[in-house]
Amino acid sequence: MPRQVFYYDQPERFVAGTVGQPGSRAFFLQASARGRITSVLLEKTQVAALAERVDEVLDEALRRSAGQAPIPAVAPTDLIDTAPLDLPLEQEFRVGTMALAWDSDDSCLVVEAQALLEDAEEDEEAEPVFDEENGPDLLRVRLTGAMARVFAKRALDLVAAGRRPCPFCNLPLDPEGHLCPRQNGYKR
């Protein structure tokens, strides 16, 4: 089956969001522009890693340009997006690999999320062929520096909004407590 590439150049919206209650949330990246919406599923750790790396790449691009790149040092408050994910929420694919790059010619951040390869372990002898027509589906988004900062802030806030950590073992607490390994399995 040919590869699908979902491409957004300066989308109207690019956010990380969740569905469900803390402890059983599903995490999504969602891009939208001109009535088109693309949503991909990923893990909480992937959202955290992506947001942290976005900030690092932007800081490095700003440093290398001696402060001349159009990148704000922090997310502009007038652009912060706290709205829920757009509906309908239809998952295109589960994210496996992600990549980031700063395009200094166009002064924008390029974010790529590639579909998880589910058949990779089944046939260890065969080498997958990746080119423009074949390979896993891909979400490619090009963002301004300001929009990338806003994305990173929202994503980090989203990850931090999960369950509180146990004061003893640092594992997440469920509303009904948890079996704490630091308390010999007693429920806290």
Side-chain angles (χ1 to χ4, degrees):
M1 186 160 91
R3 161 187 237 178
Q4 271 192 295
V5 177
F6 303 93
Y7 180 69
Y8 290 84
D9 191 358
Q10 309 304 326
E12 295 163 8
R13 188 170 192 227
F14 181 63
V15 296
T18 62
V19 174
Q21 296 299 314
S24 60
R25 295 185 293 176
F27 287 78
F28 290 89
L29 291 180
Q30 188 176 73
S32 59
R34 295 178 291 286
R36 185 172 64 119
I37 302 169
T38 303
S39 303
V40 296
L41 182 69
L42 69 170
E43 299 294 325
K44 178 180 180 177
T45 55
Q46 289 175 299
V47 173
L50 178 61
E52 290 167 5
R53 271 306 278 151
V54 164
D55 273 338
E56 290 171 8
V57 168
L58 293 175
D59 290 344
E60 181 64 16
L62 197 55
R63 186 189 67 73
R64 286 184 180 198
S65 71
Q68 299 304 308
I71 303 169
V74 295
T77 56
D78 59 323
L79 296 179
I80 292 178
D81 181 352
T82 58
L85 293 171
D86 292 327
L87 297 176
L89 185 61
E90 297 173 358
Q91 170 190 329
E92 298 296 339
F93 58 83
R94 177 179 283 279
V95 174
T97 305
M98 295 183 293
L100 288 175
W102 177 256
D103 181 345
S104 56
D105 293 337
D106 293 335
S107 295
C108 68
L109 182 75
V110 180
V111 179
E112 290 187 350
Q114 187 171 292
L116 181 66
L117 291 174
E118 297 183 18
D119 298 335
E121 294 179 14
E122 289 179 16
D123 190 3
E124 294 175 12
E125 297 284 324
E127 288 287 323
V129 177
F130 298 141
D131 55 25
E132 292 299 319
E133 296 175 12
N134 299 306
D137 291 347
L138 178 74
L139 170 64
R140 179 178 294 137
V141 182
R142 297 170 59 84
L143 304 169
T144 64
M147 194 167 192
R149 285 281 191 212
V150 168
F151 166 82
K153 179 179 179 357
R154 176 183 169 131
L156 290 171
D157 290 348
L158 184 72
V159 169
R163 298 174 287 170
R164 291 183 309 112
C166 171
F168 300 106
C169 68
N170 245 3
L171 292 174
L173 286 172
D174 292 323
E176 60 276 346
H178 80 122
L179 297 176
C180 182
R182 299 280 312 261
Q183 297 295 312
N184 292 328
Y186 287 104
K187 196 167 188 142
R188 301 226 32 99

